[in-house]
Amino acid sequence: GAGVSQTPSNKVTEKGKYVELRCDPISGHTALYWYRQSLGQGPEFLIYFQGTGAADDSGLPNDRFFAVRPEGSVSTLKIQRTERGDSAVYLCASSLTLQREGEQFFGPGTRLTVL
Amino acid sequence: GENVEQHPSTLSVQEGDSAVIKCTYSDSASNYFPWYKQELGKGPQLIIDIRSNVGEKKDQRIAVTLNKTAKHFSLHITETQPEDSAVYFCAATATDSWGKLQFGAGTQVVVTP
């Protein structure tokens, strides 16, 4: 079956521009997570959703970052006024529920490069 | 918040030998400890996990041990094969922040034939 998909796979942008990264979770998964992975590091939590609402957005680094999940399925991570330090791989994951048994399945990520 | 430390950062083993990766965590409330394997260009994939009410769990060539008192847990891979070469991450989370996995920095495992 289809796993978590993310588009685009690569995004190159210039400093100051706005970008949107999309995540399509596994069908039927109610929980969705965004992580950021810098080179040589483990994934760093950004935000997670249960259904349409953000259950915890404490990992978003500042107010330039925002994520939505309007219909409880596809999610978009939005970054305004990008900075070179935003360059990283942005990973999305989903799980059946936000409960003890909710294994997180990861997508392949979007590599963002800010020039 | 939770802080997870992982070592070694790189591990080279001969095919057929065992590999051990160790992690420590800081938050005594953490009670779920998954291990992920990440191959180049792919997202992390869960390989095994353990909960705080269990001291050890095994799945074929992979095992994980947990010492709650010392706040450390380890991944053991026996009879390593070239396809075990990848980056491995440990993670931890607590029930009250269930979706918020805190990852270690990763271990690059290289299995040489």
Side-chain angles (χ1 to χ4, degrees):
Chain A
V4 176
S5 62
Q6 293 186 244
T7 54
S9 55
N10 280 283
K11 176 70 177 179
V12 180
T13 191
E14 294 179 343
K15 180 175 176 296
K17 299 289 188 184
Y18 167 82
V19 297
E20 290 189 352
L21 312 179
R22 176 187 167 108
C23 173
D24 281 82
I26 294 172
S27 178
H29 280 195
T30 62
L32 184 146
Y33 317 80
W34 283 99
Y35 292 84
R36 177 169 69 174
Q37 187 173 25
S38 299
L39 193 63
Q41 298 297 315
E44 174 191 9
F45 170 79
L46 295 176
I47 183 171
Y48 69 73
F49 293 85
Q50 175 62 31
T52 60
D56 187 335
D57 65 357
S58 62
L60 294 177
N62 52 59
D63 61 6
R64 296 187 297 106
F65 289 74
F66 190 71
V68 295
R69 195 186 185 199
E71 298 178 357
S73 178
V74 171
S75 176
T76 304
L77 178 65
K78 308 180 180 193
I79 311 174
Q80 297 178 320
R81 305 183 303 281
T82 51
E83 299 177 356
R84 293 194 179 88
D86 298 335
S87 296
V89 175
Y90 289 81
L91 294 165
C92 175
S94 69
S95 64
L96 192 58
T97 63
L98 187 64
Q99 307 231 351
R100 283 179 64 85
E101 308 304 317
E103 173 189 347
Q104 295 186 26
F105 294 84
F106 282 82
T110 293
R111 180 176 297 279
L112 175 66
T113 302
V114 182
L115 301 177
Chain B
E2 176 64 275
N3 181 50
V4 176
E5 295 191 356
Q6 180 173 350
H7 59 94
S9 57
T10 59
L11 182 59
S12 183
V13 296
Q14 286 281 104
E15 183 178 359
D17 288 349
S18 295
V20 180
I21 303 170
K22 298 182 179 181
C23 289
T24 60
Y25 61 98
S26 61
D27 188 352
S28 57
S30 289
N31 54 9
Y32 175 62
F33 308 91
W35 286 88
Y36 283 83
K37 175 183 181 182
Q38 188 174 28
E39 297 176 332
L40 199 62
K42 298 184 178 179
Q45 179 183 12
L46 181 73
I47 55 172
I48 195 167
D49 57 13
I50 191 167
R51 290 182 169 82
S52 60
N53 58 345
V54 175
E56 183 174 358
K57 183 177 178 180
K58 190 172 182 180
D59 183 3
Q60 299 183 338
R61 297 186 296 107
I62 295 173
V64 57
T65 59
L66 171 65
N67 183 328
K68 282 212 73 180
T69 303
K71 295 206 204 76
H72 65 69
F73 56 114
S74 301
L75 178 72
H76 304 251
I77 307 173
T78 58
E79 300 171 22
T80 53
Q81 301 168 3
E83 53 265 36
D84 294 330
S85 296
V87 180
Y88 291 80
F89 293 98
C90 61
T93 191
T95 302
D96 62 355
S97 56
W98 196 248
K100 193 173 172 178
L101 289 175
Q102 181 68 43
F103 283 84
T107 297
Q108 174 78 61
V109 173
V110 177
V111 180
T112 53

